Structure formats: structure tokens, C-alpha cells
Amino acid sequence: MVDSPAAQYALRMVNIEKYFGLVCALRNINMEVGKNEIIGLIGDNGAGKSTMVKILTGVFRPTSGELYIAGRRVDFRTYDVQHAHKYGIETVYQDKSLGEKQALWRNFFIGRQITNRFGFIDVRREKEIANEIMVNTIGFRGRGITVDSKVNKLSGGERQGVAIGRAMHFEAELIILDEPTVALSLKEVNKVINFVHGIKAGGKACIYISHSIGDVYEVSDRFVVLDRGEIVGNLTKKDVPTVKDLDDYLLEYSHGLKDKVD
Amino acid sequence: MRQLRSVLAFLRSIEGLPIAGVLAVMYLVFLLTAPTVFSRYPIYKSFFETVPAMLICALGLTFVVTAGEMDLSFPAVVAFAGFVFAWCFKNIDSPWAPWLGFVLALGAGGLIGYINGILVARIGVPSIMATLAGQFFWYGMTILLAGGLQMDIRAIRGTPIHNIFAGELFDTIPTQAIWAALLAIFLWFILNRHRFGEAITFIGDNANVARVMGINVERTRVRLFVMNGMIAAFAGLLLTMNMNVFFPTQGQGYLLQTMAAVFIGGTSIAGGHGVIVGSFFGAYIIGSLEAGVVASRISGYWVQLVQGMVMAAVVVLNIVIEERSIAKLSSRIRHWTVSSRNSHAGPGAEPGEVFSK
Ligand SMILES: Nc1ncnc2c1ncn2[C@@H]1O[C@H](COP(=O)(O)OP(=O)(O)OP(=O)(O)O)[C@@H](O)[C@H]1O
Ligand SMILES: [Mg+2]
């Protein structure tokens, strides 16, 4: 099914809803991401950000609603992580992106190994490509890190570099970063931010989730505010010309909420 | 110094080397303590006959532990598969009866594994609980169906199936040892070079990572238990044919031995890291310790104590030779060499070179 007005979007959600048992994690989610747009997704703990990400990437099935990727409607009965990868959606999580005890080259290809028809892995080819990604995309050079290194020998920033490099290598149309900078040093946060700038420059789309408003503000074109499962704000950089304006907006919103409750 | 390091790195890269070394040292010790027994072939031949069934169980359990799960039901599968095979052999009047029994026994093992897998992966019962129940249930089922009696299948001697699975190659090497070795090689490739083995390893490392990276965690877990059920059934078949008799409690001594073989082999109890070669040699260590201690004419009361010591020593060895400990050790050695060099040649002797890297 083709959804013509949405064809200009990398992704569009219509009335997405998600219940965990009786708990409503997402409700009335209507949102789109432009083909070369960086969205900053903001919200408190438990607002539903990660749940939304998992629906987009095929880990969870929504209770109801529609999802269009590049204008094509997704069939949730068959939609899974592999389909999401095929449609060019890649995800970088804070801590769930890499197998800690496994070699880097395995981490690059997990879930989509290069195999022969019996399912045996072409180790040499995978290592070659992994090495290429490390040198060209990520820029690990002469740091004592090879494709055979175990992930748990890497710093937090290097790990995120690997996860992002992997996403870029597989030619993602949309990269989702769910709190990619938690527990990173300032220098390493900057690296991640540079990667996001690279996504924009490369003409791709991105959803960036972080509790650090400064970082979100720097990389994003538009901000979507999520609160208790609902979208309560949708602002462009014109609406909030400085990071202070965004901060004030969020403060005002939460105060308003408090007044209502009181 | 760098040379020593690269030699160590090279040795570390050979899978299962430390445990193979322990096995070699153990046989050397037995050669000294029981020279008449250990300098002749028959003792090794008897190991080749008695160890393979337990070894095969250890290969299967290696996958289960690597996936971060546990299977306590495999000894019962060893018994149940043996029953299915012996029953077919006794009750079906056809030259194909043992082959039918063979296939049905493997199928039964797969089915028991499937039930384990459904309980664990789909219903969410912790695997240690589900398979503990399974172990009681399937031993109970075996005893019930067999009427508590053993079955003599001596008539199977000399038939093709017996020659293949419990015969002797060139009249010297028991074929079950060859089957165990071939299966070990095959399963090494599955664990280290196949999509399925990689999925198992990632699930054991972190199931959430595996899931978000597109691995069907539940399906893989079900397949894992099915595979282990079939592997245990194969072990039961080899055991039954080797003994020429089925008895309803067969396999009961395997549980702790098999676990010991897997863990001294270096497979991580936390999951995410499986060492097939380690389990292979580990099984031979566990399987020949008792005979060696007895042959050394140490009182039988010592057997378990020595077993416990060897196991503990090997597990400690595994931890000590891990990368981090080696790095610590080599930095200490470097420290010594630096201080000795400084005391001999004075502080001017290229300290920068020593401290770089
Ligand atoms: N697998 C699950 N089963 C049941 N409830 C869940 C599950 N995953 C999330 N939830 C619930 O859904 C709500 C949204 O959680 P989610 O993880 O999406 O929040 P978040 O915005 O990512 O928060 P954070 O900033 O802390 O990461 C929470 O109330 C959470 O308890
Ligand atoms: Mg989250």
C-alpha cells in the first residue's frame, strides 16, 4: 500500500498505541520524520521513548496504529528487526547494542551474517569488511584495537563508535540513537555528536534521544516532547532559537502540569 | 619481553590448550605412579570405551551453558533413549529393528528437548527448574515403561549397527571414541562458524542485545534444547550398545561428571563463551581420573578428594591464564626487569623504551 503524502518522509507513525498488559506506554502517537531530518526526542524517564524506538525497529509490536516507512505501509504481522534493517532503520542503544564478550567482527554482522547456503559464516570476508568499517568509517587507527578485540576491552565512546559505524556501514536511511551518550566523557560525547552531524551531512535521517538537552539541541532540527506516552510538544528550531528557549519551554510545561495537578 | 608476550598471546589463541596440557600432565603423573597400567594400551582403550557417552553429553551441555541456560534432564534422556532402542530391538522382528530404534530414540530425545524448550523459551520457566522436573519425569517414565527391569540386548553383537557404533576400528580403536571426536569437530564448527552457534553465544552474552540485533531468541532457545535432547539420546544409544544392556537408571552418574567436564573446559557459567575443545579434553580428564587414582594404588577413599582437587586446580588455572591476569603478571615482570636494570645500568638506561606501551 502506498501512502502518497507520506512518501516524502523517511518514516511516519499514525495513531500508534502500545499497551503492556493494562499499562499504556504509548497513546495517539502521530509523528513523522523527514528524509534528511534530525529529530530530538525528549521526555522524562518512563515517558515511552524506548518503547517507541522498539516499535519502529521491529522489537515490539504496537497494540494498534500504522507505520509507514518511505511511504510504504508496514505489515506488523511480519515486521521484525530483520525487516527494519532491510528498510534501512538502524539503532544504537545506550548499552544494548553490542555483545560484550564477543569479538568486534562478530558484532558488526550479528543478525545478518555473511554465510553460505548452509549457514556457515564467511569469517574472512566478515573480518575484511569489519576492518574496513573500523578504519574508514570509525577511524580506529593504530590504537591496538583490531577486529579480533573483544568489546569489553573498548571504552564507552569506542563502543558507541562501533555501533554507529555499523549503522552507517549498512547504509541506514534512518538511524535511531537511544541515549547513546550516557556514561561517556565529554570528549566522547563530542564524537557521538559529530557522528550525528555526519548523518545530517550524508542526507540521512535520525532520531536522537538524550536526557542532555544541550546535546539534543545542538544536533536536532526539530524536537518532539513525549510525556507519559503522549506527544505533548512539537517544536522546530525556529520556535526555540536557543537552547535556553527549549529549556524554558520544558520547564514551563512541567510547571503547567504541576499547576493542573495541584 | 614483547616476545614472551606474543608467545603467550599465541598460546592463548589456541582453544583448549591449557586443559589439554592438564590432561597430558595427568597422564604423565599416572605413568609415574602406575607405570604398569599406564604404559600399555588397554587402559587407554577402556577410556575410549567409557568416556565417549559422557563426552557427548558434555558437548551438548556446552551449547546450553554458552546460551546462559542449564539442562539437568539429559541423564534421563540417556536412559529413555536407551529404553526406546532396546525395546525396538527386542520387540520388532526385523533386521531393521535396531535402525528404527536408533531413529526413534533420537526423535524421542528431540521431543523431550522440544518440551524443555517450550517450557523455557515460550512459557518462561527458568531452565534449571524445567529440566530438573524433566529429569525426574523422564526417569520415572523410563522405569514405568521398562517395568523397572533391565533389558539384555546381547544379541545385537555382530550386527552392522553394533559394528558401526560399538565396534572397533582396525581392532584397536573403539568406534564410539571416533564418533565422539567427529561430533566434537562438527559441533565446534557449529558453535564457532555457524549462524546458530553465533546466535547461541550472543544470547548467552546478552539476550537483549541478541534480540534487538535481530536474533529470534525464543526460537533459538527451543532449537538449542531440541539439539541437546538429540545429542543426549545419541549418547544413550552409544552407551546402551557398548554395554549390550539397557538398564533404567543408566546415565545417572553423568550429571555432575558432565558439568565438571564443561566447566573445567573453560566454558563460562555466566554464558556467552563456550569452549568445545575444553569440554572434549575435560571429559577425558574427568573420565580417567578415577581409574588413574585407583591404578596408582592410592586407597579408594582418596578418589573423590583427588578429583575435587584436580577440578578446583583446573578452574583456577583457567582464571589465572585469562588475559587480564597475564597482563598483570607481565607488568609485574616488567617492573622487576626495570628495577634490576636500573640498579645495574643506572637510571639512564633507556627508561622511555621500557615504559612505552
Ligand atoms: N517490556 C515491558 N513490559 C512492561 N512494561 C514495559 C516494558 N517496557 C517498557 N515498559 C513500560 O513502559 C513505559 C515506558 O518505558 P520506556 O522504556 O519506553 O521509557 P523511556 O522514555 O525510554 O524512559 P528512560 O528515559 O528511562 O529510558 C514505562 O512505564 C515502562 O515501565
Ligand atoms: Mg529509554
Side-chain angles (χ1 to χ4, degrees):
Chain A
M1 208 193 285
V2 176
D3 171 45
S4 48
Q8 70 221 46
Y9 300 123
L11 181 146
R12 193 162 81 99
M13 284 174 269
V14 179
N15 284 329
I16 293 273
E17 237 178 14
K18 175 71 185 173
Y19 281 87
F20 291 106
L22 290 174
V23 179
C24 182
L26 290 175
R27 176 169 33 195
N28 277 330
I29 300 295
N30 289 288
M31 174 182 157
E32 57 287 313
V33 182
K35 287 223 151 118
N36 185 23
E37 192 179 28
I38 312 286
I39 302 265
L41 188 58
I42 307 167
D44 269 343
N45 294 108
K49 307 180 295 292
S50 298
T51 305
M52 188 198 284
V53 170
K54 285 184 177 148
I55 288 172
L56 298 182
T57 54
V59 178
F60 290 157
R61 213 167 282 180
T63 311
S64 66
E66 293 159 27
L67 172 65
Y68 297 85
I69 298 175
R72 273 203 323 240
R73 184 169 173 183
V74 163
D75 180 357
F76 280 117
R77 282 168 304 177
T78 55
Y79 190 60
D80 61 8
V81 177
Q82 253 128 32
H83 278 91
H85 283 161
K86 222 185 300 167
Y87 295 153
I89 297 184
E90 297 281 339
T91 324
V92 175
Y93 294 93
Q94 170 198 141
D95 54 352
K96 296 192 284 294
S97 296
L98 302 171
E100 293 265 321
K101 299 180 196 164
Q102 315 308 322
L104 276 180
W105 65 272
R106 287 192 190 270
N107 270 292
F108 278 111
F109 288 96
I110 184 65
R112 50 189 139 179
Q113 297 94 333
I114 304 172
T115 63
N116 67 13
R117 86 185 111 124
F118 302 111
F120 285 98
I121 298 165
D122 187 342
V123 174
R124 199 195 303 167
R125 183 110 188 76
E126 284 198 356
K127 282 191 182 181
E128 263 170 33
I129 296 174
N131 193 45
E132 214 181 282
I133 304 173
M134 299 228 334
V135 174
N136 296 336
T137 314
I138 312 176
F140 280 149
R141 250 178 282 246
R143 312 267 311 273
I145 298 168
T146 70
V147 291
D148 289 308
S149 302
K150 301 277 190 303
V151 170
N152 54 23
K153 301 276 179 308
L154 269 56
S155 78
E158 287 166 340
R159 285 177 208 200
Q160 292 308 49
V162 169
I164 295 170
R166 174 175 67 187
M168 310 237 290
H169 168 78
F170 286 105
E171 297 182 334
E173 291 301 320
L174 170 72
I175 299 184
I176 303 173
L177 296 105
D178 190 352
E179 304 193 32
T181 57
V182 173
L184 294 194
S185 71
L186 216 54
K187 209 172 117 204
E188 295 189 311
V189 170
N190 282 332
K191 272 191 213 157
V192 172
I193 287 179
N194 280 334
F195 275 119
V196 180
H197 286 313
I199 296 170
K200 177 80 182 172
K204 309 294 187 193
C206 172
I207 298 177
Y208 187 91
I209 299 172
S210 172
H211 287 285
S212 155
I213 298 298
D215 299 346
V216 177
Y217 190 83
E218 187 181 342
V219 298
S220 307
D221 302 322
R222 194 152 63 86
F223 312 96
V224 173
V225 185
L226 208 58
D227 184 36
R228 280 171 273 172
E230 283 184 280
I231 294 179
V232 294
N234 192 339
L235 311 152
T236 62
K237 260 203 171 143
K238 277 194 210 112
D239 302 326
V240 278
T242 68
V243 66
K244 176 133 193 330
D245 297 325
L246 179 60
D247 228 10
D248 289 345
Y249 173 89
L250 293 171
L251 266 176
E252 243 170 71
Y253 171 76
S254 57
H255 277 154
L257 216 61
K258 211 170 129 209
D259 294 344
K260 245 187 264 169
V261 173
D262 285 347
Chain B
M1 200 52 234
R2 199 167 300 163
Q3 263 171 343
L4 173 65
R5 259 199 176 169
S6 61
V7 168
L8 283 173
F10 174 70
L11 290 180
R12 216 169 33 234
S13 71
I14 302 174
E15 185 182 323
L17 189 71
I19 188 88
V22 169
L23 182 67
V25 168
M26 200 179 86
Y27 281 158
L28 281 177
V29 170
F30 287 150
L31 260 174
L32 296 175
T33 56
T36 47
V37 176
F38 274 84
S39 63
R40 294 199 195 98
Y41 179 60
I43 183 79
Y44 300 101
K45 184 176 172 184
S46 82
F47 292 150
F48 286 148
E49 273 185 38
T50 53
V51 174
M54 187 265 281
L55 163 54
I56 286 167
C57 290
L59 297 175
L61 193 67
T62 305
F63 276 78
V64 176
V65 173
T66 303
E69 303 287 346
M70 185 38 85
D71 187 348
L72 303 175
S73 72
F74 67 86
V77 177
V78 167
F80 190 73
F83 168 75
V84 170
F85 178 77
W87 189 90
C88 288
F89 180 72
K90 286 280 224 196
N91 293 285
I92 299 175
D93 186 25
S94 153
W96 294 104
W99 293 100
L100 179 70
F102 191 90
V103 173
L104 286 180
L106 287 182
L111 186 70
I112 295 173
Y114 183 73
I115 295 169
N116 287 338
I118 293 294
L119 287 173
V120 173
R122 306 263 182 227
I123 301 179
V125 185
S127 58
I128 198 160
M129 306 284 294
T131 58
L132 183 64
Q135 125 102 14
F136 283 105
F137 182 86
W138 292 105
Y139 263 122
M141 183 65 90
T142 308
I143 290 169
L144 196 68
L145 292 177
L149 300 174
Q150 60 181 50
M151 267 188 253
D152 187 340
I153 56 164
R154 240 176 301 178
I156 202 171
R157 277 195 205 141
T159 61
I161 197 169
H162 190 265
N163 290 338
I164 291 172
F165 291 107
E168 285 176 9
L169 192 67
F170 312 126
D171 285 326
T172 44
I173 306 171
T175 48
Q176 60 262 45
I178 296 165
W179 283 108
L182 290 177
L183 190 64
I185 293 168
F186 175 71
L187 289 177
W188 186 91
F189 275 97
I190 294 294
L191 185 60
N192 295 287
R193 291 290 178 268
H194 195 274
R195 208 165 25 194
F196 177 71
E198 201 171 83
I200 292 284
T201 312
F202 270 81
I203 289 172
D205 194 332
N206 187 330
N208 282 327
V209 170
R211 192 170 288 120
V212 299
M213 289 316 295
I215 290 171
N216 190 328
V217 174
E218 280 66 39
R219 194 174 61 198
T220 307
R221 281 190 180 135
V222 172
R223 287 182 183 172
L224 167 74
F225 280 99
V226 170
M227 183 180 89
N228 198 41
M230 293 180 74
I231 290 174
F234 184 57
L237 286 164
L238 290 189
L239 178 70
T240 310
M241 279 190 252
N242 181 52
M243 310 285 281
N244 292 316
V245 60
F246 152 80
F247 50 102
T249 56
Q250 69 183 22
Q252 264 183 359
Y254 281 0
L255 183 60
L256 295 177
Q257 289 195 356
T258 304
M259 291 213 279
V262 171
F263 290 130
I264 68 174
T267 294
S268 164
I269 192 164
H273 177 61
V275 191
I276 290 285
V277 182
S279 298
F280 182 88
F281 289 117
Y284 273 105
I285 290 179
I286 298 296
S288 40
L289 253 179
E290 181 166 356
V293 174
V294 171
S296 305
R297 305 198 184 193
I298 304 169
S299 149
Y301 299 133
W302 283 81
V303 171
Q304 290 205 351
L305 192 143
V306 174
Q307 282 179 325
M309 267 166 33
V310 171
M311 285 178 211
V314 178
V315 171
V316 170
L317 178 72
N318 277 337
I319 291 169
V320 168
I321 59 170
E322 263 188 5
E323 204 152 345
R324 221 166 306 159
S325 319
I326 291 204
K328 222 181 282 170
L329 193 70
S330 74
S331 85
R332 186 161 306 161
I333 293 172
R334 221 176 328 152
H335 189 76
W336 291 332
T337 53
V338 170
S339 50
S340 67
R341 236 205 278 185
N342 284 351
S343 60
H344 291 303
E350 25 172 12
E353 197 262 330
V354 175
F355 280 109
S356 72
K357 273 215 148 183

